[in-house]
């Protein structure tokens, strides 16, 4: 046992580092499976999607949830419910409490896995334990990961998948099985993570081909691509209409040419050193929400010093032949940056020029409106690449001190963001917040004889959706609305037409209650069906009013 611990001491120490940082920034209390009150909107919707899924019979494609949205949103893929965790916990659903969230656990898993792949990458480059600790801490404090917590995008905090991909590239991994493993796992985490890993795999196979020019490698990639496509179908990615998947939006959530030095996130300035006077807010809200890719002062200093070493090497040393692996990685980075910038280029928040995308390329861009995310792999290439350059050029007796200074500068700089997350997750604060009425006794009393909640009219994120969808889950009711990343607009429009016809023809569904948030529409439609229904307004324990029309039985 002692021998095993000594052999694995590096990874064990890095695991402890990940646990300590997780406790400091987030807190282990977030892992409490029964605590759903701390979840932001997007994460809470992930909990709701999983909650409906856990009570459904399994079908193909997997992860379908008809009761949540009744076809408007058809799968937990589009509720950001972390399908990989849903798959693990569903067999035990009958043993789990009604309120069971695994998102806090996923945050911890992501932190631990980041330290794991950091260790693998840094070991291959010969880093000592102390330098591994310092560099891994820098990775764990990446602002682009922490900003995702504020947004509630916990799936997208899984940047260890990107590190895993780079580890396979670093090893020049040719095994189709290993690339398939990471691709399938990324599909079960988030579609954007899959897209990034797939693009990296494409460039890896380009590299393999140019290094060996074996046609067998192209066949292997074709197998990889086909199996990935089949997996996307099996897991329900194609369950919404094609127009919704390929609906466009590329260019609305883009990278700015100076995003990497801009500390302005969606709700705060992440930098202690860079004032808002020398920062900038993007001109459109989408760029602010998704365009955040700030490196941090510590990492920017690390990059600057690495550039100085590269210039010095270029001047003083004979020009070395660039390896194919490096060339391919450079082309990969250029491709990802261009894709993240989109065809509408901005500088300091202002669009400076645009160009027309050829029609034959648009099907590849339209599914990815949040294009700025595609800079994330480049972020890690630059971060790790410049760390390796400095590690190679700074004397051994100084390198640990150098990384320590970088880490301290980075931590002090991004502390406003860390402080915001800690404030949000503070145990006392969470306990003092007004909690959603999870019982809704009044609403339960008037709806117990009905199986469906029909929102008049369904749209994106209807008012009171959190309370209503949770109520529907807890009381085994279907809904015609929800909060979905992708939705079937045809089915939603059909519901709207059907509801209008039901009120105009005085033909309400006897198994449905009709829910309203617009008082004017409520008063207008209630008059049309006054003879065949009851008009009811109930209030929950927090004073939230629910306006209902209940058909007479």
């Amino acid at each position: 046992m002692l021998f095993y611990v000594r052999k694995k001491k590096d990874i064990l120490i890095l695991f402890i580092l990940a646990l300590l940082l997780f406790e400091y920034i987030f807190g282990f209390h977030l892992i409490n499976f029964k605590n759903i009150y701390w979840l932001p909107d997007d994460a809470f919707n992930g909990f709701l999607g999983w909650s409906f899924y856990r009570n459904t019979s399994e079908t193909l494609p997997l992860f379908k949830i008809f009761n949540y949205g009744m076809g408007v949103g058809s799968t937990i893929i589009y509720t950001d419910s972390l399908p990989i965790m849903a798959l693990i916990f569903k067999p035990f659903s009958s043993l789990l409490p009604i309120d069971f969230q695994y998102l806090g656990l996923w945050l911890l898993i992501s932190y631990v896995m980041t330290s794991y792949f950091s260790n693998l990458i840094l070991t291959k480059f010969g880093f000592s334990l102390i330098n591994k600790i310092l560099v891994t801490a820098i990775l764990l404090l990446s602002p682009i990961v922490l900003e995702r917590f504020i947004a509630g995008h916990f799936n997208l905090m899984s940047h260890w998948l990107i590190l895993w991909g780079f580890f396979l590239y670093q090893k020049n991994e040719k095994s189709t099985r290993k690339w398939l493993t990471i691709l399938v796992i990324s599909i079960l985490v988030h579609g954007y993570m899959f897209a990034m890993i797939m693009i990296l795999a494409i460039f890896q196979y380009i590299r393999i081909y140019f290094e060996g020019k074996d046609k067998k490698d192209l066949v292997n990639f074709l197998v990889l691509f086909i199996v990935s496509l089949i997996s996307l179908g099996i897991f329900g990615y194609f369950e919404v209409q094609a127009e919704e998947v390929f609906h466009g939006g590329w260019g609305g959530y883009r990278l700015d040419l100076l995003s990497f030095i801009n500390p302005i996130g969606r709700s705060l300035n992440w930098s202690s050193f860079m004032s808002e006077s020398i920062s900038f807010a993007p001109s459109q809200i989408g760029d602010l929400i998704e365009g955040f890719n700030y490196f941090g002062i510590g990492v920017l200093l690390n990059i600057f010093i690495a550039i100085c070493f590269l210039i010095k090497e270029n001047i003083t040393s004979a020009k070395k032949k660039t390896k194919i692996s490096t060339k391919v990685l450079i082309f990969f980075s250029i491709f990802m940056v261009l894709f993240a910038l989109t065809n509408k280029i901005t500088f300091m928040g202002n669009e400076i020029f645009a160009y027309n995308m050829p029609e034959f390329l648009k099907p590849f861009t339209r599914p990815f409106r949040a294009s700025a995310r595609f800079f994330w792999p480049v972020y890690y290439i630059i971060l790790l690449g410049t760390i390796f350059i400095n590690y190679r050029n700074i004397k051994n007796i100084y390198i640990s001190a150098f990384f320590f200074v970088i880490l301290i500068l980075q931590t002090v700089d991004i502390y406003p963001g860390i402080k915001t997350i800690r404030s949000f997750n503070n145990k006392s604060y969470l306990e003092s917040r007004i909690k959603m009425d999870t019982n809704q006794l009044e609403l339960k009393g008037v709806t117990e004889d009905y199986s469906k909640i029909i929102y008049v009219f369904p749209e994106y994120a209807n008012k009171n959706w959190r309370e209503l969808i949770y109520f529907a889950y807890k009381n085994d009711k279907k809904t015609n609305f929800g909060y979905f990343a992708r939705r079937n607009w045809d089915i939603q429009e059909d519901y709207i037409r059907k509801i209008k016809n039901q009120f105009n023809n005085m033909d309400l569904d006897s198994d449905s209650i009709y829910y309203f948030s617009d008082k004017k529409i409520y008063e207008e439609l209630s008059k049309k069906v006054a003879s065949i229904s009851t008009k009811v307004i109930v209030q929950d324990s927090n004073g939230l009013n629910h306006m209902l029309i209940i058909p007479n039985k």
Side-chain angles (χ1 to χ4, degrees), residues 90-109:
K90 186 173 182 180
F92 311 101
S93 180
S94 61
L95 304 174
L96 303 176
I98 290 175
D99 294 339
F100 182 86
Q101 62 85 17
Y102 44 63
L103 297 165
L105 176 62
W106 182 256
L107 294 178
L108 178 62
I109 290 172

Side-chain angles (χ1 to χ4, degrees), residues 28-273:
F28 289 128
H29 57 280
L30 298 190
I31 301 173
N32 180 354
F33 295 113
K34 294 182 180 180
N35 183 5
I36 64 172
Y37 300 104
W38 64 276
L39 297 170
D41 279 356
D42 283 45
F44 191 79
N45 193 47
F47 155 72
L48 290 172
W50 140 252
S51 298
F52 275 89
Y53 170 68
R54 62 184 280 193
N55 295 323
T56 62
S57 300
E58 205 57 85
T59 60
L60 276 177
L62 299 175
F63 307 125
K64 292 184 78 170
I65 45 167
F66 178 78
N67 286 3
Y68 183 13
M70 294 196 293
V72 175
S74 54
T75 166
I76 66 170
I77 291 292
Y78 297 120
T79 58
D80 284 348
S81 298
L82 269 170
I84 190 170
M85 297 293 273
L87 212 55
I88 291 169
F89 283 106
K90 186 173 182 180
F92 311 101
S93 180
S94 61
L95 304 174
L96 303 176
I98 290 175
D99 294 339
F100 182 86
Q101 62 85 17
Y102 44 63
L103 297 165
L105 176 62
W106 182 256
L107 294 178
L108 178 62
I109 290 172
S110 291
Y111 247 53
V112 170
M113 293 301 286
T114 296
S115 68
Y116 176 75
F117 285 107
S118 172
N119 178 65
L120 290 179
I121 292 170
L122 298 175
T123 297
K124 193 162 178 62
F125 280 93
F127 276 54
S128 65
L129 175 57
I130 185 64
N131 291 325
K132 285 182 185 178
I133 292 171
L134 295 169
V135 173
T136 301
I138 293 170
L139 286 170
L140 291 170
L141 293 174
S142 294
I144 60 171
V145 176
L146 299 178
E147 168 75 5
R148 287 291 138 184
F149 180 86
I150 295 174
H153 298 163
F154 300 163
N155 311 49
L156 293 170
M157 294 177 71
S158 311
H159 287 207
W160 55 271
L161 287 166
I162 298 172
L163 296 178
W164 184 2
F166 284 136
F167 175 66
L168 294 180
Y169 186 89
Q170 183 187 29
K171 283 178 62 183
N172 197 14
E173 186 58 66
K174 299 179 181 179
S175 168
T176 306
R177 178 178 56 83
K178 290 183 179 179
W179 279 104
L180 259 180
T181 300
I182 184 176
L183 284 167
V184 171
I185 290 175
S186 64
I187 289 172
L188 290 169
V189 173
H190 198 282
Y192 274 82
M193 303 308 295
F194 163 74
M196 293 175 205
I197 302 302
M198 174 54 83
I199 295 169
L200 180 61
I202 290 171
F203 277 85
Q204 164 64 1
Y205 275 88
I206 290 172
R207 166 195 178 182
I208 291 170
Y209 177 75
F210 279 112
E211 286 179 343
K213 295 192 176 178
D214 187 343
K215 291 182 180 178
K216 182 184 174 183
D217 295 321
L218 294 179
V219 174
N220 288 340
F221 173 73
L222 191 61
V223 170
L224 193 74
F225 181 79
I226 292 171
V227 174
S228 296
L229 204 61
I230 293 170
S231 299
L232 288 169
I234 290 172
F235 296 142
Y237 274 80
F238 305 133
E239 281 302 286
V240 296
Q241 64 210 89
E243 289 84 357
E244 176 62 3
V245 175
F246 299 100
H247 73 301
W250 191 66
Y253 299 80
R254 62 205 158 177
L255 182 76
D256 188 274
L257 287 169
L258 294 183
S259 286
F260 67 97
I261 62 170
N262 183 33
I264 305 299
R266 66 175 58 207
S267 60
L268 75 149
N269 181 346
W270 274 78
S271 178
S272 298
F273 300 125

Side-chain angles (χ1 to χ4, degrees), residues 497-508 528-529 532:
R497 282 191 293 270
K498 184 178 179 181
I499 293 167
K500 288 178 179 178
N501 288 335
Q502 286 174 339
F503 278 90
N504 289 333
N505 300 328
M506 292 182 63
D507 185 26
L508 300 182
K528 291 186 176 184
V529 293
I532 62 167

